[in-house]
Each structure stands twice: as C-alpha cells, then as structure tokens.
Amino acid sequence: MVEIIDLSQEIYEGMPVFKDLPQVTMEVHNSHEEWEGIKNPKKRTPAVHKLQLGEHTGTHVDAINHMAKEYEGQSIDKMPLSMFYTQAICLDFSYKTLKELIEPSEIEVACQKQNVEILKGDTVLFYTDHYRKYFNTDEWPNGPGISTASAEWLAQKGIVAFGVETMSSGVPKVSNKEVHHICGKHGFTHYENMVNLHQLIDKGRFRFIGLPLKIRGGTGSPVRAVAIIE
C-alpha cells in the first residue's frame, strides 16, 4: 500500500505572504456563461481564473539565484529535477518556541531519537508545529528556524534541500539571510510554508516530491509537495 501525504498549503486570495512579497489576488477571467454567449448572467460560473501571485507564495522552493546576487543565472528552470525528487526524513522539533534556533547538536539528537540518518542527496524536513499553532495569526512570521551553523552542517552532509513550516528558513534578522547565502554557496535549497509534517514523524525514510513550475529565469516557484510512504 502507498500513502501520499499532501505537504502543501492552499493558495487563495488574502493568504499570508512574507513581508512585502506580492499579495495573492484571484478573479474570474472567463465564465461558462460568457463562453455560451449568455448576456448579463445572474451568475458567473468560473471557467478560467486570473491569478496574481509571487514566485514565493505558499509552499514553495527557492532557486539558487534567490540566495544572493552572485548566483544570478542559476534560476529555477535550470536546476536539475533530481533536486526535487529525493529520499527524505522528517525530524521532530515541535518543542521549539517562537524565534528559537535549531542547532546542529539538536539535529543529531533528533536523528538518534527517531533512528534515522541524514544521507547524501536527502531532503530533510523540520517539523516545528508552527503551522498548526500560529498560521494566519500575529505570530505567524515569528517561527523557529535553523541557525547558520545548522545550514553549514547540513551542507557538509550533502543534502539537496531542507524544508520548514515557516515563511523563512532561518529566523528573520538572526539567521535567515545568512542561511540563504549558505544555501547559495553550497548549491542546495529549501522549501518554506510546508504543512502536515506531523504526519511524517516516526515514519522513517520516505520519497519526497516537490516539483516547481518551469519559470524561465525564476527565483523560485510554488510546488505541490508530497511525501510518498510505502
């Protein structure tokens, strides 16, 4: 039996976005009534929506060119698909509080407790329960995140990506900018705004898929991230 767990937020108008990123707007562009030639219909049944949103909306993956200006040209459409289709583990950091850092020694302890190992080419997901506790509240931007030391430690492990429930991979104004720079320097990436990570705790290893849109020159892309457990 195969279980597929959806790790992606809904995309909808008015959803939370990071700082000054584009707000999501959604409207009916074409209706079935218009296509059928009905004049002044009482109801417009959506046939096509018009969406306006940023590349870093909802559950998304960052391209290397997003990490810093020196990585210009390393856009989402040029990153190998193998980075988005990997083996993965999910580690339990649900005890972490607002704006608290996750350090390398704590990652090692989590691996030991859950009897898992970080292998080269893995995606490592960090469950903090921040989504279920704080989504769409004033504290939503203030979640825990990995430290710069953890980013360097993960790079040395040879992972291709890690994922978090929060809107930023590190803690803003503490480690977030630096974590992005480390990802760029070592050529790995991260997913933000993930959900349902609690369903992956103690599941061991699983297949992770987080394929981005093929946006020419893109700095990132929304993804439909899933975990596949056999």
Side-chain angles (χ1 to χ4, degrees), residues 3 5 88-90 114 116 197-206 229-230:
E3 181 182 7
I5 298 176
I89 61 172
C90 185
Q114 296 175 226
V116 292
L197 297 188
H198 63 284
Q199 297 183 37
L200 299 175
I201 298 304
D202 296 326
K203 295 288 188 179
R205 300 185 66 79
F206 52 88
I229 300 173
E230 296 188 16

Side-chain angles (χ1 to χ4, degrees), residues 56 61-80 83-84 160 180-190 218-220:
H56 301 260
V61 65
D62 286 1
I64 303 300
N65 66 349
H66 173 71
M67 308 305 183
K69 63 182 179 182
E70 55 263 39
Y71 308 115
E72 183 181 11
Q74 298 184 54
S75 53
I76 197 71
D77 52 314
K78 296 179 181 177
M79 294 169 66
M83 292 185 72
F84 315 115
V160 297
H180 280 72
H181 289 173
I182 291 166
C183 286
K185 179 176 71 173
H186 293 287
F188 69 112
T189 188
H190 52 259
T219 68

